[in-house]
């Protein structure tokens, strides 16, 4: 398996633009997580899905952020409009079943909003 | 809500030495998992070791071992015979194991530097 695949690896955009981050989980994994990593706040859970259904989005910072999982092999995290404070590394991770299954992370997307 | 604390922002040791990274957590749950993740400069999050709270035996993976003290809510990572490739950020993480899979709660990390 190729692991969790995220794209793009780097994204530079101007303030006010829409940004879409993409994630392909490991085939067969039924949980998908989106995290944000910053120097100030560390790694924060934004939202997670189980069988394509959002379970907990309490970590989504504000209405500018939205996430979807239209099918078991694809998820997006969208920021509209983007702001400089959204600059961070965004990770996607997937897991099979219970927490004992372990969590596999993608290589992350470094977002820079100028 | 769970919290995870890593009290050492940075540590530096010589190659081949043994180093211990500290982690404490706070939870009212009895069933959970604890993890150590490594993040090298490539930024990939790599699972180092995992401990199930109901198991008294400390987990080991080659040069990596943990000291899990459930009553004290402590979960330290020991790296033996440290190597230059161990240089990375190390994150301690917690997840409740009551059913399904929840998101991990991470500590702020320890930057470990292995000196040649």
């Amino acid at each position: 398996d190729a692991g969790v695949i995220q794209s793009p690896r780097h994204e530079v955009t101007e303030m006010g633009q829409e940004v879409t981050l993409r994630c392909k989980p490991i085939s067969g994994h039924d949980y998908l997580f989106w995290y944000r990593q910053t120097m100030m706040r560390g790694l924060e859970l934004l939202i997670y899905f189980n069988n394509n259904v959002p379970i907990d989005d309490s970590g989504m910072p504000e209405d500018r952020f939205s996430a979807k999982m239209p099918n078991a092999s694809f998820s997006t995290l969208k920021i509209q409009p983007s702001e400089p404070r959204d600059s961070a590394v965004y990770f996607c991770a997937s897991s099979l079943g219970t927490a004992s299954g372990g969590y596999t992370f993608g290589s992350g997307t470094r977002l820079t909003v100028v | 809500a769970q919290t995870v604390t890593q009290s050492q922002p940075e540590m530096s040791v010589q190659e081949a030495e043994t180093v211990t990274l500290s982690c404490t957590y706070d939870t009212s749950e009895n069933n959970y998992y604890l993890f150590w993740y490594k993040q090298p400069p490539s930024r990939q999050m790599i699972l180092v070791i995992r401990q199930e709270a109901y198991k008294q035996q400390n987990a080991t993976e080659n040069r990596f071992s943990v000291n899990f003290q459930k009553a004290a809510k402590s979960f330290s990572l020991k790296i033996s015979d440290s190597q230059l490739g161990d240089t990375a950020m190390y994150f301690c993480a917690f997840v409740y194991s009551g059913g399904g899979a929840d998101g991990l709660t991470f500590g702020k990390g320890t930057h470990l530097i292995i000196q040649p």
Side-chain angles (χ1 to χ4, degrees):
Chain A
D1 199 320
V4 176
I5 300 172
Q6 289 188 247
S7 64
R9 183 159 174 81
H10 304 278
E11 176 80 36
V12 180
T13 191
E14 291 185 347
M15 183 174 61
Q17 295 297 307
E18 177 180 294
V19 176
T20 299
L21 310 181
R22 297 172 175 80
C23 176
K24 176 179 170 55
I26 290 175
S27 177
H29 280 193
D30 54 351
Y31 284 84
L32 183 139
F33 305 83
W34 282 100
Y35 289 87
R36 179 172 68 176
Q37 184 179 30
T38 61
M39 288 293 292
M40 290 295 294
R41 300 175 67 91
L43 281 149
E44 305 172 277
L45 176 66
L46 299 177
I47 185 171
Y48 75 94
F49 297 82
N50 177 218
N51 291 323
N52 314 336
V53 176
I55 302 300
D56 184 355
D57 66 353
S58 60
M60 296 287 263
E62 47 196 277
D63 292 345
R64 298 184 298 106
F65 286 69
S66 63
K68 294 182 179 180
M69 192 165 186
N71 57 62
S73 59
F74 184 66
S75 177
T76 60
L77 178 67
K78 185 175 294 186
I79 308 172
Q80 166 64 18
S82 57
E83 297 182 2
R85 60 194 170 113
D86 302 330
S87 297
V89 178
Y90 292 81
F91 284 100
C92 175
S94 69
S95 174
L96 174 63
T98 65
S100 64
Y103 299 76
T104 303
F105 283 77
S107 56
T109 294
R110 178 175 294 280
L111 173 65
T112 303
V113 184
V114 298
Chain B
Q2 293 78 228
T3 59
V4 178
T5 302
Q6 294 180 248
S7 59
Q8 305 150 312
E10 185 169 290
M11 297 185 70
S12 180
V13 300
Q14 296 295 123
E15 193 176 7
E17 289 183 347
T18 294
V19 59
T20 299
L21 309 184
S22 301
C23 172
T24 58
Y25 57 95
D26 187 22
T27 183
S28 58
E29 306 293 347
N30 196 46
N31 298 314
Y32 48 88
Y33 292 88
L34 294 161
F35 302 84
W36 279 98
Y37 276 87
K38 171 184 178 181
Q39 187 179 40
S42 67
R43 82 169 180 245
Q44 181 70 48
M45 295 289 287
I46 302 166
L47 177 63
V48 175
I49 200 164
R50 172 175 56 201
Q51 176 77 42
E52 296 159 70
Y54 68 86
K55 288 187 175 179
Q56 292 187 335
Q57 186 173 7
N58 290 323
T60 62
E61 289 287 343
N62 301 312
R63 298 183 295 109
F64 299 87
S65 62
V66 298
N67 183 3
F68 174 49
Q69 301 289 328
K70 190 173 184 179
K73 296 180 182 177
S74 171
F75 183 60
S76 61
L77 174 69
K78 186 172 82 171
I79 305 174
S80 304
D81 185 27
S82 57
Q83 300 174 359
L84 297 179
D86 295 333
T87 293
M89 286 292 294
Y90 286 82
F91 294 95
C92 179
F94 170 103
V95 67
Y96 172 58
S97 61
D102 289 331
L104 294 165
T105 299
F106 285 92
K108 290 293 176 66
T110 295
H111 185 205
L112 176 64
I113 301 168
I114 308 300
Q115 305 276 10

